Amino acid sequence: MVAQWISSLDKDVTVALIGLIGVVVGGLVAGVLNIVGAHRGNLAHAYNELASAQGRMQEEIDKQDDKLKRLFADNDRLRKEEHRFEDRDLERTRYLRELMHWLDGLCQSGEIAYTRDHPKPHLPDGMRPEFPRLDS
């Protein structure tokens, strides 16, 4: 039936209809290709944005890593310093206890001869810089 209808049309109308159908089909193909191309462009743009965000995140992670390394180094340094202070305090306490026991013995005996038999405790070398000499 459609074939009879087309055959009954004039040759110029048939050519025009075929041309019109070709234009419509061509337009549809172009539209589909445009949509696919736009989609690919959107995907490329999204990928570029993702890569850029990933780069920024990596930079931030590197900064945080550097900050953590500095904090750990500071923590280690402070712990060592704390141990030095503890060791120095223990040395002072030990020396003061020895000195006080020696002074107690001297006071209880009341004699200078006590110092010959019991010499005064030796000031540790680590503490010497903290006490200036009395004769200078």
Side-chain angles (χ1 to χ4, degrees):
M1 177 177 217
V2 174
Q4 288 179 353
W5 179 76
I6 290 177
S7 64
S8 68
L9 293 176
D10 191 19
K11 215 177 198 180
D12 291 333
V13 174
T14 306
V15 170
L17 280 176
I18 292 175
L20 182 63
I21 292 172
V23 168
V24 170
V25 170
L28 288 174
V29 169
V32 168
L33 290 176
N34 190 19
I35 290 171
V36 169
H39 181 68
R40 285 186 181 171
N42 289 343
L43 285 177
H45 180 71
Y47 176 77
N48 287 338
E49 289 292 320
L50 180 64
S52 176
Q54 185 180 11
R56 289 190 305 268
M57 287 179 67
Q58 187 62 46
E59 288 173 4
E60 189 63 32
I61 288 170
D62 292 343
K63 286 179 188 176
Q64 294 298 324
D65 260 356
D66 291 342
K67 189 175 182 179
L68 281 173
K69 286 177 186 175
R70 285 193 308 273
L71 288 173
F72 283 133
D74 287 347
N75 187 32
D76 290 344
R77 181 185 51 79
L78 290 172
R79 284 185 186 274
K80 288 176 184 176
E81 191 173 323
E82 179 184 17
H83 287 299
R84 276 199 316 273
F85 284 131
E86 287 175 354
D87 292 344
R88 189 178 70 192
D89 287 347
L90 288 173
E91 183 180 41
R92 287 178 177 174
T93 301
R94 182 188 53 77
Y95 173 69
L96 287 175
R97 287 184 64 138
E98 289 175 5
L99 184 62
M100 293 302 122
H101 284 294
W102 179 80
L103 285 173
D104 181 50
L106 177 64
C107 291
Q108 285 184 9
S109 74
E111 297 182 13
I112 297 295
Y114 176 83
T115 59
R116 282 191 301 267
D117 298 333
H118 303 92
K120 183 177 90 48
H122 175 71
L123 180 66
D125 292 335
M127 292 176 58
R128 286 193 184 282
E130 297 175 26
F131 298 96
R133 293 190 53 84
L134 294 177
D135 60 356
S136 56

